[in-house]
Amino acid sequence: MNRFDTHEVFNQAPPFGDVNLFHCDAALREGVTREGAEWADAGLERLGAELGRAGVLDLGRLANEFPPRLVNFDRGGHRVDEVEFHPAWHELMRLLIENGAHSLPWEAPRPGAQVARAAAYLMFGQVENGSQCPVTMTYAAVPALRQHAGIAARWLPTILSRAYDPRSLPIEQKRGALIGMGMTEKQGGTDVRANTTRATRMSPAVAESRFGADWKEAWSLVGHKWFFSAPQSDAHLVLAQADEGGSAGEASPGLSCFFVPRYLPDGTRNAIRVQRLKNKLGNKSNASSEVEFCDAVGWMIGKEGRGIPTILEMGSHTRLDCVTGSAGIMRAALCHALHHARARSAFGRRLAEQPLMQNVLADLALESEAATAFALRLARCFDVGADGAVDPREALLGRLLTPAGKYWLCKRGPAFGAEAMEVMGGNGYVEDGPLARLYREFPVNSIWEGSGNVMCLDVLRAFAKGPETRDALAAELALGAGRDARFDACCARLLDDLGTLAADEFGARRLAERLVVAVQAGLLLRHAPPFVAEAFVASRIAVDVGGAFGRLPDGVDCAAILDRALVE
């Protein structure tokens, strides 16, 4: 130091980076193997090395520091409604698309494809979360689009392409395409049956003369969407009332799903007016918008009046991504906190060596590992077998665990993020580091695609479909039986109580929590090291899950848990 320096900088942890996100995560690697995607290990290893580079991790900061900007008109006054993004956003999107985050299970369906994609998506969640939104919707839209032969033939090859093409052009001129969605309106929110957007069938002769014979079954949409995700997408799936009767605000049996492209088959822009971009708490890098349809043109997907079941097929996949994405953000927050604690000293010892801090960090590590295990197990519920079909019992289990998992894992996120931030103290609370951004990202997965109450009511609906759902859950829990008496007793109580709990709307949140924690415990008892499974059961099965982290009981091997949590 020279005499003009006021102090020497030391005892500051270096930024977390230049690490292989797959290699350093034992729980992820083991989960990929046991859930049937070991064939993807080499690709995931390469992807983990790429995503863990310091320069790639910094793209998340840049994309959020310089959010998208709406340009309604060009210099000549023509309506264009374009969204401008920072180059970091485009680089993130390129990485996602080129690595098949939108397409892997659909390109060549095989056992483990959904699991392999979920593992990649979980690692992407450690880099940046806003860019995951349009990728999720594109991935989830594929089964719905296959219901319309003409749209599937014309659009799916471009949608499934691994070329990222952000240009605003008709689909025939694009190398790759993205799909968004629009359901929510001002007056309805979750209650989409209250939607007032109207779809009127166009004259087939007029539509054919304008768009060609293949596109004569067109509809004209008038109305609005209060949340219209990723307006830069090449097309959106939109819910609208397809009947002529009723008045604004009335429920209608005609709620249908429409494919609404940005450019029409004749090359002209569709009449979708972007009013503004949403000023959101988090997810700043991603453009969410309000729009109006001024005689916008769309084509019906699925049957008339069956728009909700059509869009729910898309929703099951987007909800899977909410679970996986939340597990990814948890993992990111844990890695940053644990990396900091291993490098930072206080009162003469590393933070990671101090007993109370070890309790907090180990508790976070347990939560993160359980979330990863659950997400990969849930992804297997969506996988096809060797015969190319989803196993019926797996489908039943997925129908139950998807809303339950979206409720509980996403609900755990904000508390997890706050605790990880506190590990880093003031360094975690400022915008210079990643924890503030990660903390703001957690709530969106809980709110988007059905809030907590909606998910818990969906759990009740899954049980109401018949006893087969209970049987599928019982079979999954039975796989962990005989390893821990506390777990066995918990599962017995849960299954005995289902007759009452599945009819109790008031207690639906508690039911969803019990379901997910039991499944997580079973997975860890079967597959994780004993010091992980024992600590999870002792802190989440033997007693109720607490409101804060750092409440692990005596006897937990925190050092072993933390060594496993982040391999450096």
Side-chain angles (χ1 to χ4, degrees):
M1 290 178 60
N2 64 48
R3 65 191 184 89
F4 298 107
D5 292 331
T6 62
H7 65 285
E8 180 183 354
V9 177
F10 65 99
N11 196 28
Q12 286 280 9
F16 178 75
D18 291 327
V19 59
N20 189 313
L21 299 183
F22 188 65
H23 183 77
C24 76
D25 190 346
L28 181 62
R29 287 186 281 107
E30 294 167 12
V32 165
T33 296
R34 72 169 172 265
E35 303 299 352
E38 188 175 10
W39 52 266
D41 275 357
L44 292 170
E45 186 83 24
R46 287 192 297 272
L47 180 61
E50 175 70 8
L51 296 181
R53 289 195 300 109
V56 172
L57 291 172
D58 196 49
L59 293 174
R61 175 187 66 82
L62 290 169
N64 284 270
E65 190 171 329
F66 301 97
R69 185 176 74 95
L70 175 63
V71 179
N72 289 116
F73 300 92
D74 68 12
R75 61 187 295 177
H78 305 101
R79 186 95 192 208
V80 291
D81 292 328
E82 297 288 355
V83 183
E84 295 181 349
F85 291 90
H86 188 271
W89 166 271
H90 293 301
E91 180 61 15
L92 289 164
M93 289 296 299
R94 182 190 67 78
L95 284 167
L96 281 155
I97 297 299
E98 288 185 358
N99 284 283
H102 66 305
S103 62
L104 179 60
W106 316 127
E107 293 168 341
R110 61 180 290 187
Q114 292 281 3
V115 174
R117 178 194 173 270
Y121 196 85
L122 195 149
M123 288 193 291
F124 274 112
Q126 298 172 53
V127 180
E128 206 283 318
N129 313 109
S131 54
Q132 291 183 288
C133 178
V135 172
T136 282
M137 291 185 294
T138 302
Y139 151 75
V142 171
L145 296 180
R146 284 176 172 165
Q147 297 184 39
H148 191 293
I151 292 172
R154 187 169 186 173
W155 279 76
L156 282 184
T158 309
I159 290 171
L160 296 178
S161 164
R162 292 201 179 191
Y164 172 58
D165 187 350
R167 297 175 300 164
S168 178
L169 292 170
I171 188 65
E172 293 79 9
Q173 301 175 43
K174 298 284 297 272
R175 294 178 292 110
L178 298 173
I179 304 297
M181 62 193 301
M183 293 190 289
T184 306
E185 298 185 3
K186 294 183 179 76
Q187 72 287 340
T190 296
D191 185 9
V192 294
R193 288 181 174 83
N195 281 7
T196 61
T197 296
R198 296 276 161 174
T200 305
R201 191 186 298 273
M202 294 178 64
S203 163
V206 171
E208 182 174 356
S209 66
R210 183 176 174 186
F211 307 128
D214 292 339
W215 303 100
K216 64 183 179 180
E217 298 298 327
W219 295 71
S220 176
L221 280 70
V222 175
H224 81 284
K225 292 299 170 185
W226 187 229
F227 281 89
F228 192 71
S229 298
Q232 75 276 13
S233 298
D234 298 282
H236 286 75
L237 294 184
V238 172
L239 288 179
Q241 306 287 0
D243 64 318
E244 299 296 331
S247 59
E250 289 185 1
S252 167
L255 195 64
S256 302
C257 180
F258 295 89
F259 178 80
V260 183
R262 195 175 184 192
Y263 284 86
L264 297 172
D266 62 0
T268 61
R269 286 179 181 266
N270 210 347
I272 306 166
R273 307 296 185 227
V274 182
Q275 302 302 101
R276 62 173 175 170
L277 300 186
K278 291 290 192 180
N279 185 15
K280 297 171 291 183
L281 166 71
N283 212 244
K284 296 283 191 178
S285 69
N286 178 43
S288 303
S289 65
E290 300 169 22
V291 302
E292 291 183 347
F293 304 120
C294 304
D295 275 331
V297 180
W299 284 264
M300 187 178 290
I301 299 286
K303 295 181 179 179
E304 184 171 349
R306 298 289 294 168
I308 293 177
T310 300
I311 210 77
L312 280 180
E313 184 172 10
M314 182 178 182
S316 66
H317 289 89
T318 56
R319 290 169 180 176
L320 167 63
D321 275 8
C322 288
V323 171
T324 309
S326 290
I329 307 174
M330 283 185 185
R331 175 66 187 173
L334 171 67
C335 287
H336 286 289
L338 183 51
H339 173 76
H340 173 88
R342 286 174 174 174
R344 178 85 164 179
S345 295
F347 309 111
R349 281 190 297 175
R350 300 283 186 184
L351 290 178
E353 297 171 353
Q354 302 190 18
L356 189 52
M357 180 62 80
Q358 284 189 334
N359 196 317
V360 172
L361 291 168
D363 208 356
L364 292 172
L366 291 175
E367 190 73 19
S368 177
E369 176 157 353
T372 294
F374 185 93
L376 296 178
R377 176 64 186 93
L378 179 59
R380 181 156 65 88
C381 293
F382 290 76
D383 252 325
V384 299
D387 60 354
V390 177
D391 179 86
R393 176 160 282 184
E394 288 292 306
L396 281 170
L397 189 64
R399 170 68 182 83
L400 174 66
L401 295 186
T402 299
K406 182 184 179 306
Y407 165 71
W408 182 240
L409 267 68
C410 297
K411 195 63 68 179
R412 292 286 277 170
F416 189 105
E419 202 69 67
M421 185 187 301
E422 191 170 323
V423 170
M424 299 178 70
N427 287 346
Y429 193 69
V430 296
E431 296 290 350
D432 298 2
L435 265 295
R437 169 168 59 87
L438 293 174
Y439 179 69
R440 289 195 302 271
E441 291 293 348
F442 274 116
V444 71
N445 281 332
S446 187
I447 295 170
W448 186 57
E449 286 300 275
S451 60
N453 285 352
V454 174
M455 292 301 97
C456 293
L457 293 174
D458 208 25
V459 169
L460 301 187
R461 281 189 286 270
F463 281 119
K465 288 185 175 293
E468 298 81 7
T469 302
R470 181 193 181 281
D471 295 342
L473 173 64
E476 176 68 18
L477 296 176
L479 296 174
R483 292 169 171 82
D484 190 293
R486 296 165 297 181
F487 171 75
D488 294 345
C490 165
C491 294
R493 288 194 302 272
L494 173 61
L495 295 172
D496 287 345
D497 292 347
L498 276 182
T500 301
L501 295 175
D504 177 22
E505 181 177 322
F506 186 80
R509 284 190 171 210
R510 178 66 177 142
L511 171 59
E513 173 188 333
R514 290 176 64 183
L515 280 173
V516 176
V517 173
V519 170
Q520 288 177 320
L523 289 169
L524 296 181
L525 283 167
R526 291 158 55 198
H527 305 298
F531 56 81
V532 170
E534 160 64 25
F536 188 88
V537 170
S539 58
R540 289 151 171 85
I541 295 292
V543 297
D544 278 347
V545 178
F549 292 90
R551 300 169 66 255
L552 296 178
D554 291 340
V556 170
D557 192 343
C558 289
I561 292 171
L562 295 178
D563 285 344
R564 172 179 171 81
L566 178 57
V567 181
E568 290 186 315

